[in-house]
Amino acid sequence: LEEGARSCLLRFRHRLEQDIKPSYLMDHMISDGVLTVDEEERISNKPTRKDQAVALLELLLRKDNRGYISFYNALVKETYGDLANLLHDDLPQTLPGAYKSSSDGCTSYVQTVLSEGGVPQRPVVFVSRPEFVNCVREKLYRLQKEPGWVTVFGMAGSGKSVLAAEAVRHHGLIEECFPGGIHWLSIGQLDKPDLMVKIQSLCFRLEQSLDSPSLHRPPNSLDEAKERLRYLTLRRYPRSLLILDDIWDSTVLKAFDIHCRILLTTRNRSLTDSVSGAKYEVEVESGLDEKKGLEILALYTNTKLHGLPEEARSIVKECKGSPLVVSLIGALLKEKPNRWRYYLNQLQQKQFKRIRKSSSYDYDALDQAMDASIEVLPDEHRELYKDLSVLEKDIKVPAKVLSVLWDLEPEHVEDILEEFVNKSLLFVDSNNKPHLYYLHDLQLDFLVEQNRTQLEVSLDQHYRDGPPTSGDEECLYWIRFLTHHMAKANLSQELYSLMFSLDWVSIKAQIMGPAHLINDYVEYGPILDKEVMRSQFQEFLSLNGHQLEQRPFPDVVQLALSQPHTSEVYRQALLQAQDRASTG
Ligand code: ADP
């Protein structure tokens, strides 16, 4: 630690010890990577707030300049304005030699600009994602000549914040586009008063860094705060970039609609619809590829890639490479290296509450991170979203299928689905016409876990007049999954009529082939508890499997007539044959 900074800490030590709440400050310092979780724990174990504060200052004095800067930023973020003021004059200007330069344009200049602006450091364990970082940088370059918005969006835990911070860690970009500095603001879900406090503390930070800090009283209203910020970004910090992390609400964005340069991260793609100016967007993929996922686990557990146990691959696969999940589990394994199998099981059994980490990420556990997105939906849509738990893994469905499930008009359904997609709660495959929708595995698992209660499906009304028969996308889905949905919805009477109907057998065999049908009997037969009838249908299918694969498709009634006369299959065929004969 630089002499000036040390002396400043020592001079104001008692003031600081009296006022600060270490637990709040330490969270920020952990995300900045200047405090370890162990250090935090040791401090938190002290009995009183005062003891904790004493211990924190003691520790800070043993840290380097980054510790001081991070502590200062934490004070600002937690709105200890006057305490931050005391430390401001002695903020170290340069960082130690080790950070002077590195190959990827991350020089000491970059380090200084970013730490002054409160941009978080790289996570301790970090893998590069050049395809996305370059994409964000490319969009940021478009803000060189004019103000505008770059939206980085994607689902919970896909790595948006890490990516945003990484994108600006670049000498050329800062020098050419944002010489006025980079200023980070964590937003999250907040109400108006909180938002005002955030903007206030940003204004405070900006004013403090000027040579002649103004003596403005703090703004009294959101509008006043907005005006203050407008003045500062326009006049005192031209060509600076504001990074707004984790935005949920477009009213928040409106407060920043002041003709400046903004990079924002969000799960909600359409937020910038309501603000003015040039807009660009980058979609972050929800998962890392297998190699990167394994790399994270290897780094956390201090193992070589090829030395990882076999569970490692299954963990990455199970969560589809979600950076959040892989890192949460990595961090847990770092502490408990023998628990590969245990954590894999937890993940497979959807024990999301058990997968939690002790620090820095905003959500304590995976379930909270997921739940947050669902909780902000309007009530009626939240219920509909939960219904999506009936979907099968890796199966994509057209809007029409959901209009049956929800019993709503297709157009209405499309609007709702669009909302889900925009909020990163659902994925769409738009290469296909009509568009197909699907859930990320983690979202599906989470929904199923939450929704153990039975779902009342409106299938019954829709298919009272018999199963679907046309060959369009919707019908294909139902022919494949109707039995599955009925079984899930406990519609056993309907399932019974369907599975033991020669008409259904004929339709499904024609479209899906006999193997699918046999599979239905094996899977759902036991629910119906009709062993004899089940074996009759199964036998019919196995005996005639070869014929049923032929095209043109054979006459099923003819085939069925050769069944033993005691068989239900024969009985139905006979009725149909008589019917045919009587109608000519
Ligand atoms: P989001 O903002 O999309 O919710 P974050 O950027 O906060 O997600 O990332 C969530 C967690 O995932 C981080 O706390 C970190 O542990 C991990 N993570 C994200 N990106 C990376 C990366 N490139 N390398 C290593 N870990 C990452």
Side-chain angles (χ1 to χ4, degrees):
L1 185 63
E2 220 171 80
E3 193 183 14
R6 173 191 304 279
S7 130
C8 179
L9 277 184
L10 288 169
R11 259 179 296 142
F12 298 117
R13 189 172 187 164
H14 295 300
R15 273 285 302 277
L16 291 164
E17 285 170 356
Q18 244 150 44
D19 293 350
I20 59 172
K21 276 226 178 78
S23 54
Y24 295 174
L25 300 171
M26 288 193 296
D27 274 352
H28 297 292
M29 299 177 69
I30 288 179
S31 10
D32 283 354
V34 300
L35 213 64
T36 67
V37 176
D38 283 346
E39 289 169 332
E40 183 208 41
E41 213 172 274
R42 248 178 285 137
I43 294 177
S44 310
N45 284 341
K46 305 273 177 206
T48 66
R49 185 208 56 80
K50 179 83 189 287
D51 294 348
Q52 294 177 358
V54 170
L56 179 60
L57 277 157
E58 192 55 47
L59 185 65
L60 263 184
L61 286 164
R62 282 185 275 121
K63 296 258 170 198
D64 63 10
N65 290 346
R66 288 188 312 137
Y68 186 94
I69 295 174
S70 165
F71 181 63
Y72 168 82
N73 285 333
L75 287 174
V76 173
K77 280 182 198 149
E78 293 298 333
T79 62
Y80 291 109
D82 37 346
L83 293 181
N85 242 337
L86 299 175
L87 301 192
H88 177 262
D89 286 345
D90 289 297
L91 272 175
Q93 286 309 310
T94 48
L95 293 151
Y99 295 93
K100 275 252 153 59
S101 88
S102 64
S103 54
D104 57 356
C106 184
T107 56
S108 68
Y109 164 70
V110 173
Q111 289 281 349
T112 311
V113 170
L114 297 190
S115 50
E116 280 184 357
V119 178
Q121 307 249 337
R122 273 185 187 165
V124 191
V125 164
F126 171 82
V127 295
S128 64
R129 300 169 89 183
E131 65 287 19
F132 296 112
V133 173
N134 289 337
C135 205
V136 178
R137 283 185 186 149
E138 192 246 323
K139 305 285 186 225
L140 288 174
Y141 265 104
R142 312 229 189 144
L143 303 184
Q144 184 175 26
K145 296 266 154 44
E146 54 161 7
W149 310 78
V150 175
T151 301
V152 172
F153 72 95
M155 75 175 257
S158 56
K160 301 179 291 293
S161 314
V162 171
L163 200 63
E166 194 56 22
V168 292
R169 206 164 284 136
H170 189 274
H171 195 113
L173 179 73
I174 299 181
E175 217 168 43
E176 288 164 48
C177 301
F178 312 112
I182 314 264
H183 306 282
W184 182 280
L185 211 55
S186 305
I187 304 282
Q189 282 171 283
L190 39 66
D191 50 19
K192 267 202 174 149
D194 287 339
L195 177 61
M196 196 174 93
V197 172
K198 293 258 178 198
I199 301 182
Q200 247 173 31
S201 71
L202 175 65
C203 291
F204 177 82
R205 196 160 83 197
L206 294 174
E207 282 168 347
Q208 286 307 301
S209 310
L210 294 171
D211 293 336
S212 51
S214 72
L215 298 167
H216 284 281
R217 61 171 175 76
N220 273 331
S221 68
L222 194 52
D223 279 338
E224 232 179 282
K226 181 173 168 183
E227 284 318 307
R228 188 87 210 112
L229 187 62
R230 186 203 302 276
Y231 167 81
L232 281 167
T233 50
L234 235 60
R235 294 297 160 80
R236 312 305 301 265
Y237 289 89
R239 305 189 64 205
S240 58
L241 178 71
L242 216 54
I243 304 182
L244 305 178
D245 186 34
D246 198 20
I247 303 276
W248 287 76
D249 194 340
S250 57
T251 56
V252 172
L253 277 198
K254 289 204 182 110
F256 294 92
D257 196 0
I258 49 174
H259 217 63
C260 60
R261 292 164 166 84
I262 289 184
L263 169 63
L264 64 127
T265 74
T266 176
R267 301 181 193 181
N268 186 346
R269 175 179 211 158
S270 49
L271 278 183
T272 51
D273 290 355
S274 55
V275 292
S276 54
K279 293 160 199 173
Y280 309 95
E281 61 177 33
V282 177
E283 175 168 10
V284 183
E285 233 165 58
S286 56
L288 302 165
D289 59 33
E290 183 178 75
K291 177 136 183 295
K292 293 244 162 81
L294 292 176
E295 205 178 314
I296 290 188
L297 292 176
L299 286 166
Y300 268 114
T301 53
N302 213 353
T303 333
K304 295 249 166 18
L305 261 186
H306 59 261
L308 286 170
E310 57 178 307
E311 287 88 354
R313 187 158 283 141
S314 313
I315 288 175
V316 175
K317 202 161 149 211
E318 191 70 28
C319 67
K320 298 234 156 140
S322 157
L324 169 63
V325 179
V326 176
S327 308
L328 284 171
I329 295 185
L332 291 167
L333 283 165
K334 186 189 166 106
E335 306 291 318
K336 301 263 161 42
N338 318 329
R339 292 203 174 170
W340 287 94
R341 178 123 298 268
Y342 173 74
Y343 290 128
L344 173 60
N345 283 340
Q346 298 288 317
L347 191 60
Q348 281 167 341
Q349 291 161 20
K350 325 303 172 208
Q351 296 294 320
F352 295 135
K353 288 201 174 66
R354 301 261 178 84
I355 302 174
R356 55 171 74 233
K357 190 171 68 164
S358 46
S359 69
S360 84
Y361 191 67
D362 291 348
Y363 302 94
D364 279 347
L366 186 55
D367 60 323
Q368 284 176 19
M370 308 263 228
D371 204 30
S373 278
I374 301 177
E375 282 310 311
V376 295
L377 290 172
D379 290 347
E380 66 277 19
H381 290 180
R382 188 179 323 127
E383 289 315 308
L384 294 178
Y385 185 74
K386 290 184 175 170
D387 287 350
L388 294 179
S389 63
V390 300
L391 297 183
E392 281 283 88
K393 264 200 183 155
D394 295 318
I395 297 296
K396 302 179 178 181
V397 301
K400 257 177 142 185
V401 164
L402 297 167
S403 94
V404 173
L405 281 185
W406 291 336
D407 202 15
L408 293 174
E409 314 222 357
E411 292 79 5
H412 188 178
V413 169
E414 271 171 28
D415 292 346
I416 298 173
L417 292 177
E418 199 167 303
E419 180 194 351
F420 292 165
V421 170
N422 280 334
K423 295 191 168 155
S424 306
L425 283 165
L426 188 68
F427 291 85
V428 61
D429 176 354
S430 40
N431 293 324
N432 196 78
K433 297 279 177 257
H435 291 180
L436 299 179
Y437 298 88
Y438 58 103
L439 285 165
H440 188 280
D441 276 11
L442 286 174
Q443 291 165 330
L444 185 56
D445 291 341
F446 178 67
L447 280 180
V448 171
E449 192 51 37
Q450 274 210 327
N451 265 26
R452 287 235 167 266
T453 50
Q454 279 302 331
L455 181 88
E456 288 192 17
V457 194
S458 44
L459 295 173
D460 183 27
Q461 295 156 21
H462 270 264
Y463 296 114
R464 183 162 296 150
D465 307 329
T469 48
S470 82
D472 72 14
E473 195 110 31
E474 184 212 352
C475 279
L476 291 180
Y477 176 85
W478 286 120
I479 289 169
R480 178 154 175 209
F481 289 112
L482 192 53
T483 43
H484 165 81
H485 285 293
M486 285 179 165
K488 257 197 166 168
N490 264 348
L491 297 170
S492 24
Q493 191 53 45
E494 287 76 2
L495 187 62
Y496 174 95
S497 327
L498 194 68
M499 287 180 48
F500 298 138
S501 137
L502 194 57
D503 285 334
W504 170 253
V505 168
S506 170
I507 295 167
K508 186 152 181 171
Q510 186 165 3
I511 291 174
M512 311 287 317
H516 270 273
L517 270 168
I518 295 181
N519 187 55
D520 281 353
Y521 290 106
V522 174
E523 199 162 341
Y524 310 118
I527 308 176
L528 299 177
D529 196 23
K530 290 277 176 203
E531 275 315 299
V532 176
M533 216 184 300
R534 175 162 81 116
S535 65
Q536 289 166 350
F537 274 82
Q538 249 171 274
E539 194 170 296
F540 169 66
L541 288 167
S542 337
L543 282 175
N544 296 286
H546 175 69
Q547 307 263 19
L548 294 170
E549 309 260 20
Q550 305 288 319
R551 297 295 177 273
F553 193 67
D555 184 342
V556 172
V557 173
Q558 282 303 325
L559 291 179
L561 284 173
S562 54
Q563 289 300 291
H565 292 194
T566 49
S567 163
E568 170 68 14
V569 179
Y570 173 83
R571 198 187 63 82
Q572 289 190 22
L574 189 64
L575 280 180
Q576 293 203 18
Q578 288 166 347
D579 202 34
R580 277 184 201 174
S582 68
T583 55

